[in-house]
Amino acid sequence: MKVIKTIQEYLSHLPILRQNSSNIGLVPTMGALHKGHLSLIDQSCQQNDITVCSIFVNPLQFNDSSDLNHYPRDLEKDLELLSNTGCDVVFAPTAAEMYATKPALKINFGYLENILEGCHRPGHFNGVGVVVSKLFNILQPNNAYFGQKDLQQVAIIKKLVQELSFPIHIVVCPIVRESNGLALSSRNARLSTDEKEKAAYISTVLKNACTTIQEHSVEETLSRAKQQLEDVSEFTLEYLECVHSDTFQHLESYTQGNTAFCVALQLGNVRLIDNMII
Ligand code: AMP
């Protein structure tokens, strides 16, 4: 496994990676890797000759400087985890390498900016759009792997690829959860054992909502689920919505396969998101 820290070094190495017209799969991450990330790596390894994992905590996508400062970082441990997978290249640049100057370019994703993560984290999707575009241009993958865990990010990336004609196929991977239902996240490292148990209840509420909606209206389902979350005094609910899983339009009624419940809340000083598609 080769660890590369500069754009120039990667570009020099690219002809070797491309020998015999190898397919390249990219897994973009912010590090503090867990089994969720590793499931993306595994899928890429199965579908490509070469797998590149990028590790970069992208300052441009943090709208909260405290969240950025507290974001867990442990490159050595990440490299150890990756060395036990089929990952071929780790691209781990510094912020100065990625942004010689702060980009003036702004990407506006229209409707997707105005709902859920878009309106609760102003500027976040611009940061995601800029960094993913740069990673696509630098690393030049054939396939790129993203988790359903960040469902609205998947919609953003698909729009980016479609509207800017990136010749890259996007593969969406299922959410990996703890046995108690808690969606794996790098931010979980900042939760106490007690908080982790409480956080697992988020997935129970989403599961209940998936059942409730079979027999009740969207409004009634959301109202019951919100109540369940608000009953946990440690949770501060940001949003719980029922949307189309591709377009993120609000749904008035449920359609099998495209109905997603998306939630964001604060637990202590950690912001957690989760979703479930029926
Ligand atoms: P991050 O390091 O949080 O930016 O995540 C990198 C990629 O891993 C994103 O595409 C995430 O959606 C994905 N990911 C994060 N957590 C999970 C999980 N629990 N299951 C599956 N994919 C995940």
Side-chain angles (χ1 to χ4, degrees):
M1 189 175 78
K2 196 168 170 61
V3 181
I4 294 181
K5 298 211 167 175
T6 67
I7 297 168
Q8 199 46 56
E9 191 188 350
Y10 181 85
L11 293 177
S12 311
H13 191 60
L14 191 56
I16 300 168
L17 298 179
R18 284 270 183 230
Q19 263 170 19
N20 312 319
S21 344
S22 296
N23 254 12
I24 298 178
L26 169 65
V27 180
T29 80
M30 296 203 298
L33 301 182
H34 51 66
K35 286 185 186 146
H37 297 114
L38 299 184
S39 73
L40 272 57
I41 299 277
D42 281 348
Q43 187 143 347
S44 171
C45 291
Q46 282 169 31
Q47 296 176 345
N48 299 276
D49 307 299
I50 297 291
T51 289
V52 178
C53 175
S54 63
I55 297 181
F56 178 59
V57 181
N58 174 32
L60 208 61
Q61 73 186 68
F62 283 80
N63 56 313
D64 173 353
S65 57
S66 157
D67 190 23
L68 173 62
N69 294 336
H70 288 106
Y71 201 85
R73 294 167 172 87
D74 192 344
L75 184 60
E76 234 168 79
K77 188 165 160 226
D78 288 344
L79 295 180
E80 196 186 316
L81 282 173
L82 287 172
S83 67
N84 294 319
T85 70
C87 180
D88 301 281
V89 175
V90 180
F91 180 64
T94 60
E97 177 70 11
M98 286 297 274
Y99 302 115
T101 54
K102 191 175 176 202
L105 175 77
K106 296 265 185 277
I107 307 180
N108 186 320
F109 291 91
Y111 173 74
L112 288 169
E113 296 275 344
N114 302 327
I115 49 157
L116 309 187
E117 291 300 286
C119 62
H120 282 87
R121 299 187 70 187
H124 170 64
F125 286 135
N126 167 61
V128 171
V130 170
V131 80
V132 170
S133 301
K134 285 174 77 91
L135 291 171
F136 283 176
N137 282 327
I138 298 163
L139 304 174
Q140 302 174 41
N142 303 85
N143 299 303
Y145 295 77
F146 292 88
Q148 185 204 310
K149 166 77 170 36
D150 298 278
L151 189 63
Q152 197 171 353
Q153 175 172 278
V154 168
I156 291 283
I157 303 294
K158 285 184 173 167
K159 204 170 246 313
L160 192 73
V161 165
Q162 186 211 334
E163 296 197 358
L164 292 180
S165 305
F166 281 108
I168 296 170
H169 176 61
I170 301 303
V171 182
V172 184
C173 305
I175 303 177
V176 177
R177 297 178 180 280
E178 304 275 11
S179 54
N180 64 8
L182 175 63
L184 298 191
S185 163
S186 304
R187 288 187 173 86
N188 293 354
R190 295 175 51 210
L191 298 174
S192 67
T193 311
D194 186 45
E195 284 172 330
K196 275 187 198 153
E197 270 168 35
K198 293 224 158 68
Y201 185 59
I202 299 168
S203 69
T204 307
V205 172
L206 290 176
K207 237 190 267 171
N208 290 346
C210 292
T211 312
T212 308
I213 201 162
Q214 319 270 345
E215 292 184 357
H216 298 274
S217 66
V218 169
E219 205 184 343
E220 174 64 21
T221 304
L222 285 175
S223 151
R224 288 187 192 188
K226 278 182 188 165
Q227 191 57 57
Q228 287 168 4
L229 291 171
E230 278 161 6
D231 284 347
V232 182
S233 60
E234 290 86 350
F235 289 168
T236 308
L237 184 61
E238 271 190 24
Y239 64 76
L240 171 71
E241 296 293 348
C242 179
V243 295
H244 189 287
S245 55
D246 297 326
T247 64
F248 277 78
Q249 297 286 344
H250 284 284
L251 288 182
E252 300 299 328
S253 63
Y254 130 83
T255 45
Q256 181 90 29
N258 294 119
T259 301
F261 287 102
C262 299
V263 62
L265 57 77
Q266 293 271 347
L267 172 55
N269 51 12
V270 182
R271 185 173 186 275
L272 299 172
I273 60 169
D274 198 353
N275 67 83
M276 244 173 236
I277 301 176
I278 313 171

